[in-house]
Short mmCIF file of all heavy atoms in Angstrom, two decimals:
data_model
loop_
_atom_site.label_atom_id
_atom_site.label_comp_id
_atom_site.label_asym_id
_atom_site.label_seq_id
_atom_site.Cartn_x
_atom_site.Cartn_y
_atom_site.Cartn_z
N LYS A 748 129.32 128.75 125.84
CA LYS A 748 129.33 130.17 125.99
C LYS A 748 130.58 130.65 126.69
O LYS A 748 131.31 131.57 126.39
CB LYS A 748 128.22 130.83 126.62
CG LYS A 748 127.96 132.33 126.57
CD LYS A 748 126.59 132.67 127.15
CE LYS A 748 126.46 134.22 127.16
NZ LYS A 748 125.20 134.54 127.82
N MET A 749 130.82 129.84 127.85
CA MET A 749 132.00 130.15 128.71
C MET A 749 133.38 129.95 127.90
O MET A 749 134.29 130.59 127.98
CB MET A 749 131.94 129.14 129.87
CG MET A 749 133.10 129.48 131.00
SD MET A 749 132.91 128.20 132.19
CE MET A 749 131.21 128.42 132.79
N ALA A 750 133.45 128.83 127.24
CA ALA A 750 134.60 128.52 126.45
C ALA A 750 134.90 129.55 125.31
O ALA A 750 136.00 130.08 125.20
CB ALA A 750 134.52 127.14 125.78
N SER A 751 133.78 129.89 124.62
CA SER A 751 133.98 130.86 123.53
C SER A 751 134.13 132.29 124.04
O SER A 751 134.80 133.10 123.34
CB SER A 751 132.75 130.84 122.57
OG SER A 751 131.58 131.26 123.28
N ALA A 752 133.77 132.63 125.24
CA ALA A 752 133.80 133.97 125.70
C ALA A 752 135.12 134.23 126.51
O ALA A 752 135.57 135.34 126.48
CB ALA A 752 132.64 134.27 126.81
N SER A 753 135.78 133.23 127.08
CA SER A 753 136.85 133.43 127.86
C SER A 753 138.26 132.96 127.22
O SER A 753 139.30 133.31 127.77
CB SER A 753 136.78 132.80 129.19
OG SER A 753 136.70 131.46 129.12
N ILE A 754 138.14 131.91 126.28
CA ILE A 754 139.30 131.41 125.73
C ILE A 754 139.54 131.82 124.16
O ILE A 754 138.68 131.72 123.38
CB ILE A 754 139.30 129.79 125.66
CG1 ILE A 754 139.17 129.36 127.16
CG2 ILE A 754 140.51 129.22 125.02
CD1 ILE A 754 138.95 127.91 127.18
N GLU A 755 140.72 132.57 124.07
CA GLU A 755 141.08 133.01 122.64
C GLU A 755 142.01 132.01 121.94
O GLU A 755 142.43 132.03 120.80
CB GLU A 755 141.69 134.32 122.64
CG GLU A 755 140.64 135.50 122.74
CD GLU A 755 139.69 135.62 121.59
OE1 GLU A 755 140.30 135.58 120.36
OE2 GLU A 755 138.48 135.57 121.62
N ALA A 756 142.54 131.14 122.81
CA ALA A 756 143.56 130.09 122.40
C ALA A 756 142.90 129.19 121.36
O ALA A 756 141.72 128.90 121.43
CB ALA A 756 144.23 129.40 123.55
N ASP A 757 143.67 128.79 120.43
CA ASP A 757 143.12 127.75 119.51
C ASP A 757 143.09 126.37 120.07
O ASP A 757 142.20 125.49 119.76
CB ASP A 757 143.98 127.70 118.22
CG ASP A 757 143.86 128.97 117.44
OD1 ASP A 757 142.80 129.54 117.27
OD2 ASP A 757 144.97 129.52 117.01
N TYR A 758 144.08 126.12 120.93
CA TYR A 758 144.08 124.78 121.59
C TYR A 758 144.48 124.78 123.09
O TYR A 758 145.18 125.69 123.62
CB TYR A 758 145.13 123.87 120.86
CG TYR A 758 144.70 123.49 119.56
CD1 TYR A 758 145.22 124.10 118.30
CD2 TYR A 758 143.94 122.49 119.29
CE1 TYR A 758 144.88 123.90 117.16
CE2 TYR A 758 143.42 122.23 118.03
CZ TYR A 758 143.99 122.73 117.00
OH TYR A 758 143.72 122.46 115.64
N VAL A 759 143.95 123.92 123.85
CA VAL A 759 144.35 123.77 125.26
C VAL A 759 144.81 122.28 125.48
O VAL A 759 144.14 121.40 125.11
CB VAL A 759 143.04 123.90 126.21
CG1 VAL A 759 143.35 123.62 127.70
CG2 VAL A 759 142.55 125.33 126.00
N GLU A 812 146.56 137.50 124.70
CA GLU A 812 146.18 136.98 123.45
C GLU A 812 145.34 135.62 123.49
O GLU A 812 144.63 135.39 122.62
CB GLU A 812 147.37 136.81 122.52
CG GLU A 812 148.26 137.96 122.32
CD GLU A 812 149.49 137.73 121.35
OE1 GLU A 812 149.32 137.08 120.30
OE2 GLU A 812 150.60 138.02 121.87
N LEU A 813 145.74 134.99 124.58
CA LEU A 813 145.14 133.67 124.73
C LEU A 813 143.80 133.60 125.44
O LEU A 813 143.14 132.55 125.50
CB LEU A 813 146.19 132.70 125.35
CG LEU A 813 147.42 132.53 124.67
CD1 LEU A 813 148.55 131.94 125.47
CD2 LEU A 813 147.29 131.61 123.46
N THR A 814 143.49 134.75 126.07
CA THR A 814 142.26 134.69 126.80
C THR A 814 141.36 135.97 126.43
O THR A 814 141.97 136.93 125.89
CB THR A 814 142.52 134.76 128.27
OG1 THR A 814 143.30 135.88 128.59
CG2 THR A 814 143.18 133.58 128.90
N ASP A 815 140.07 135.94 126.74
CA ASP A 815 139.23 137.12 126.41
C ASP A 815 138.33 137.25 127.63
O ASP A 815 137.31 137.02 127.61
CB ASP A 815 138.47 136.90 125.22
CG ASP A 815 137.65 138.02 124.76
OD1 ASP A 815 138.04 139.11 125.32
OD2 ASP A 815 136.68 137.95 124.05
N LEU A 816 138.99 137.85 128.73
CA LEU A 816 138.24 137.86 130.06
C LEU A 816 137.82 139.35 130.25
O LEU A 816 138.68 140.26 129.89
CB LEU A 816 139.24 137.48 131.29
CG LEU A 816 139.71 136.02 131.19
CD1 LEU A 816 140.83 135.76 132.07
CD2 LEU A 816 138.57 135.06 131.51
N ASN A 869 135.48 132.72 135.76
CA ASN A 869 134.61 131.58 135.63
C ASN A 869 135.13 130.17 136.07
O ASN A 869 136.22 130.15 136.53
CB ASN A 869 134.04 131.67 134.10
CG ASN A 869 135.19 131.46 133.18
OD1 ASN A 869 135.99 130.44 133.26
ND2 ASN A 869 135.28 132.35 132.14
N MET A 871 136.31 128.02 134.24
CA MET A 871 137.42 127.51 133.38
C MET A 871 138.73 128.23 133.77
O MET A 871 139.84 127.77 133.72
CB MET A 871 137.11 127.60 131.92
CG MET A 871 135.95 126.90 131.58
SD MET A 871 135.67 126.84 129.77
CE MET A 871 136.96 125.72 129.22
N ILE A 872 138.66 129.66 134.09
CA ILE A 872 139.74 130.45 134.31
C ILE A 872 139.42 131.39 135.43
O ILE A 872 138.39 132.11 135.45
CB ILE A 872 140.17 131.36 133.10
CG1 ILE A 872 140.42 130.56 131.89
CG2 ILE A 872 141.32 132.22 133.45
CD1 ILE A 872 140.88 131.28 130.66
N GLN A 893 147.71 123.11 132.57
CA GLN A 893 147.44 122.96 131.22
C GLN A 893 148.22 124.02 130.39
O GLN A 893 148.90 124.93 131.02
CB GLN A 893 145.96 123.27 130.91
CG GLN A 893 145.34 124.56 131.30
CD GLN A 893 143.90 124.78 131.22
OE1 GLN A 893 143.26 123.66 131.26
NE2 GLN A 893 143.40 125.76 130.92
N MET A 895 148.12 126.65 127.02
CA MET A 895 147.30 127.28 125.94
C MET A 895 148.17 127.62 124.77
O MET A 895 149.18 128.22 124.94
CB MET A 895 146.47 128.54 126.57
CG MET A 895 145.76 128.21 127.76
SD MET A 895 144.88 129.66 128.51
CE MET A 895 143.27 129.46 127.78
N VAL A 896 147.60 127.40 123.68
CA VAL A 896 148.34 127.59 122.35
C VAL A 896 147.56 128.34 121.36
O VAL A 896 146.44 128.06 121.15
CB VAL A 896 148.83 126.28 121.89
CG1 VAL A 896 149.71 126.46 120.53
CG2 VAL A 896 149.65 125.41 122.79
N LYS A 897 148.08 129.28 120.69
CA LYS A 897 147.50 130.00 119.49
C LYS A 897 148.29 129.80 118.26
O LYS A 897 149.54 129.89 118.33
CB LYS A 897 147.27 131.43 119.84
CG LYS A 897 146.29 132.13 118.83
CD LYS A 897 146.08 133.59 119.36
CE LYS A 897 145.07 134.23 118.52
NZ LYS A 897 143.77 133.75 118.58
N ASP A 924 140.68 121.76 120.93
CA ASP A 924 140.14 123.10 120.61
C ASP A 924 138.84 123.39 121.42
O ASP A 924 138.42 122.50 122.11
CB ASP A 924 139.99 123.27 119.09
CG ASP A 924 138.95 122.27 118.60
OD1 ASP A 924 138.15 121.82 119.36
OD2 ASP A 924 139.02 122.02 117.29
N LYS A 925 138.27 124.61 121.21
CA LYS A 925 137.23 124.99 121.98
C LYS A 925 135.92 124.01 121.75
O LYS A 925 135.30 123.69 122.59
CB LYS A 925 136.66 126.34 121.65
CG LYS A 925 137.63 127.45 122.34
CD LYS A 925 137.17 128.89 122.09
CE LYS A 925 137.70 129.39 120.82
NZ LYS A 925 137.44 130.90 120.61
N ILE A 928 136.47 120.83 123.71
CA ILE A 928 136.06 120.96 125.09
C ILE A 928 134.67 120.88 125.31
O ILE A 928 134.13 120.29 126.26
CB ILE A 928 136.63 122.30 125.63
CG1 ILE A 928 138.13 122.29 125.55
CG2 ILE A 928 136.22 122.65 126.99
CD1 ILE A 928 138.88 123.69 125.95
#
Side-chain angles (χ1 to χ4, degrees):
K748 190 175 177 182
M749 189 186 301
S751 60
S753 61
I754 299 176
E755 281 293 308
D757 294 317
Y758 291 99
V759 176
E812 299 177 54
L813 298 165
T814 58
D815 185 18
L816 298 165
N869 55 52
M871 301 185 78
I872 301 177
Q893 57 189 33
M895 304 177 98
V896 180
K897 195 171 183 65
D924 60 20
K925 285 185 277 190
I928 294 172

